[in-house]
Amino acid sequence: MKRAAELSSSRRRGWLIPCLLLAACQLPATDVVSRFPPWWEYGGAAPVTSAAHGMVVAAEPHASRVGRDVLAAGGNAVDAAVATSLALAVTYPQAGNIGGGGFLLARFADGRAAAVDYREQAPAAATRDMYLAADGALTDRSLYGALAAGVPGTVAGLWAAHQRFGSQPWEDLVAPAIELAEHGFEPGRELRQGVRKVLERIAGFDAERRRACAQTVSTFAPALQPGPFRQPELAATLRRIAASGPAGFYDGPVAEALARSMRTAGGLITTEDLERYAAEWREPLRWHYRDHTVLGMPPSSSGGAVMTLMANMLQRYALPDMAWDDPGRIHLSIEAMKRAYADRNAYLGDPAFVDMPLERLLSTAYADERAAGIDRRRATPSTEVAPGLGPAFGRGEQTTHFSIADGSGNAVSVTTTLNTSFGSLVSVEGFLLNNEMDDFAARPGFPNAYGLVQGEANAIEPGKRMLSSMSPSIVLDPDGELLLVTGTPGGSRIISVVFQSIVNALDHGMGVGQLVAAPRVHHQHLPDVLYYEAGGLTAEVVSDLRRRGHDVRAREHFCDVQAIVVLPDGSLTGAADPRGGGLAAGY
Ligand code: GLY
């Protein structure tokens, strides 16, 4: 208990310093102590926005401002989440969507918490081996084209959250997205680059796939022309959603057009699949780390479970006493990641289909057993890190995250996705369809787009939700008060990077600007590689990790964390990841 008290007070000191500096200087909030390499592209910290009443941090500035304006007009955090998410479907079509899915995690000032799972589902006609060629090899049909799409969940999920917790009229929350689609907006560099890449990729497809992607070309090519980028078909679809709620999407002309486009382009989604789709309310997972409580997403996300296991393993080490870039600390974190991802890949899946040993996986006794195999000096090869419960019981690259705090102590953390950038590249009625089917283990034991090697628990079955790594998270301080709202895109790296954003705050006292800028590492069991961000670790640290037996490789910058930290005086600080083009908008 004494140890916990010390940790807590040292954490508070970590927060206090930036607060005092802020009060004294009235400068834009930046964080103090930085130990990142001097050449680190993002310096010591990202720019920080401070606000007294409300904050939205999203990956695209128009969307952040839409959410902020909803808060300023008296809406609550859930209202702002609905409006921000729909605005992202217009201004950040790489990942913002109505043709994909996501998770919304909410925590209210009175202590209640709730989570909506609006993950996509396999269509009823899906089969286990639908992406295998005649010789058994995995094809790329789970990634591009109509067959890659799962039944979308976003409109149902946002509606469910709004029905239960929203305070403003639904149509008022859809209106800003309609306005952006109808009258257009100036596309940023990220969108233009994304569109250029997509058009190049589609141009390289065979004639049949090019035909399936024709609407995507006609919708997005105008984004490369000077002037505002308008999406009139999407505006029309959003108007139906504004007027009729989910019926405007899952029923009637939009649903019929979607099913028709599937029939002509070789996809499986039918009007019955759309009618049957339902968002699911889930009990948020609660895990604990150094006297703090973290609310996370349960399956069909793997995020909350993997972070719980990692936290339980790492609690036994005095990580806060080690510097952020201490190779010994990185080694222990990586060893915990390796073991937790091994279990993820073997055991986790859609709870409606898979009998998961969750109670055991989340227990401290199990974490103790798992951590007992960690050697502080040597990396354990992944081949020796089998899933810890024996044979399986039965199991950004474009996603986007936004964080919201409404100043009354309510917070919403949302991660939403089409899977890879621009999803399946197939559009219908002005919106893109996801390629989320690739998140299944299309060939159990073989890697998917993220290199994840997953098992039978995540094999394709009709009506099943594919296992996700999306990890919207909300951290409460030892008194149960809101402290941090965080999340990121990044495929399999989502879990490890969200975890690092949390421990960087709790163990190393990083403020919001620093925790979004901090260099990142990742390990997912297979491949047996320790990835770090190029330029993020010094040559000495890399050599030390190699001496411990890690296969250390640099990758280009990964993920796009959007975070909010509540300061001890109750004011809000937010920062968008400097790797992306996001904005923290407060008032
Ligand atoms: N599509 C990425 C994920 O859900 O993990």
Side-chain angles (χ1 to χ4, degrees), residues 29-244:
T30 52
D31 307 303
V32 271
V33 197
S34 164
R35 295 191 46 129
F36 309 153
W39 55 80
W40 179 236
E41 192 173 339
Y42 305 113
V48 172
T49 301
S50 299
H53 305 294
M55 175 87 70
V56 177
V57 192
E60 198 283 326
H62 293 90
S64 299
R65 291 188 197 105
V66 162
R68 188 260 327 265
D69 292 348
V70 167
L71 293 178
N76 63 26
V78 171
D79 295 320
V82 171
T84 305
S85 193
L86 293 171
L88 283 166
V90 181
T91 61
Y92 196 76
Q94 302 94 307
N97 66 82
I98 52 174
F103 301 129
L104 182 151
L105 175 69
R107 195 266 179 183
F108 300 96
D110 61 9
R112 284 173 305 152
V116 196
D117 174 340
Y118 49 99
R119 184 68 164 156
E120 301 88 331
Q121 279 179 320
T127 56
R128 188 181 190 282
D129 296 334
M130 60 191 275
Y131 298 114
L132 302 189
D135 64 0
L138 201 48
T139 66
D140 68 356
R141 289 196 299 264
S142 61
L143 280 171
Y144 305 118
L147 197 62
V151 184
T154 297
V155 176
L158 296 178
W159 175 259
H162 179 262
Q163 287 294 100
R164 190 152 160 196
F165 297 116
S167 72
Q168 304 294 307
W170 169 258
E171 54 275 22
D172 291 0
L173 304 175
V174 188
I178 297 174
E179 164 78 20
L180 284 162
E182 197 153 72
H183 299 292
F185 63 97
E186 197 57 44
R189 190 174 50 89
E190 240 187 308
L191 177 54
R192 287 185 201 276
Q193 272 174 357
V195 168
R196 229 172 260 121
K197 272 197 208 148
V198 162
L199 297 185
E200 271 167 32
R201 186 181 288 280
I202 293 174
F205 284 162
D206 61 30
E208 192 188 330
R209 255 195 210 172
R210 272 205 311 278
R211 259 195 309 280
C213 299
Q215 196 185 105
T216 299
V217 175
S218 61
T219 300
F220 292 104
L224 301 181
Q225 305 304 318
F229 169 44
R230 296 190 176 90
Q231 299 169 78
E233 282 179 301
L234 177 56
T237 299
L238 288 167
R239 251 187 254 109
R240 291 186 191 283
I241 292 169
S244 312

Side-chain angles (χ1 to χ4, degrees), residues 29-30 77 112 158 202 227 306 339 387 403 424 460 492 510 564 572:
T30 52
R112 284 173 305 152
L158 296 178
I202 293 174
V306 171
R339 286 159 176 80
S403 294
S424 64
I460 302 172
S492 53
M510 288 189 197
I564 296 173
L572 304 170

Side-chain angles (χ1 to χ4, degrees), residues 276-414:
R276 247 193 316 265
Y277 185 86
E280 299 283 348
W281 286 100
R282 308 261 188 226
E283 186 56 34
L285 260 177
R286 283 175 171 75
W287 53 276
H288 303 282
Y289 189 72
R290 308 202 192 283
D291 278 355
H292 293 70
T293 299
V294 184
L295 303 175
M297 199 65 207
S300 60
S301 167
S302 55
V306 171
M307 285 196 263
T308 307
L309 183 49
M310 284 169 57
N312 287 347
M313 279 188 262
L314 290 171
Q315 301 267 16
R316 56 169 49 207
Y317 306 106
L319 296 191
D321 295 344
M322 302 165 89
W324 163 84
D325 59 349
D326 185 322
R329 193 196 70 80
I330 297 173
H331 168 75
L332 290 170
S333 305
I334 291 291
E335 289 300 299
M337 256 176 228
K338 197 183 286 180
R339 286 159 176 80
Y341 271 83
D343 288 346
R344 170 204 188 277
N345 299 340
Y347 302 124
L348 302 185
D350 181 344
F353 286 75
V354 183
D355 190 9
M356 287 173 281
L358 266 188
E359 201 176 319
R360 176 112 170 84
L361 282 176
L362 304 183
S363 69
T364 49
Y366 178 68
D368 285 346
E369 276 169 35
R370 273 316 240 161
I374 294 178
D375 180 334
R376 291 192 78 135
R377 287 148 305 153
R378 299 289 311 161
T380 315
S382 288
T383 47
E384 292 171 23
V385 183
L389 297 172
F393 281 38
R395 177 190 156 56
E397 178 56 33
Q398 204 82 21
T399 294
T400 190
H401 177 85
F402 56 91
S403 294
I404 298 180
D406 68 8
S408 310
N410 305 314
V412 173
S413 187
V414 175

Side-chain angles (χ1 to χ4, degrees), residues 35 37 324-328 330 521 530 532 536-548 552:
R35 295 191 46 129
W324 163 84
D325 59 349
D326 185 322
I330 297 173
V521 295
L530 188 171
Y532 75 103
L537 298 177
T538 62
E540 292 74 33
V541 172
V542 170
S543 300
D544 184 305
L545 291 166
R546 288 202 170 118
R547 274 198 301 279
R548 290 171 198 256
V552 187

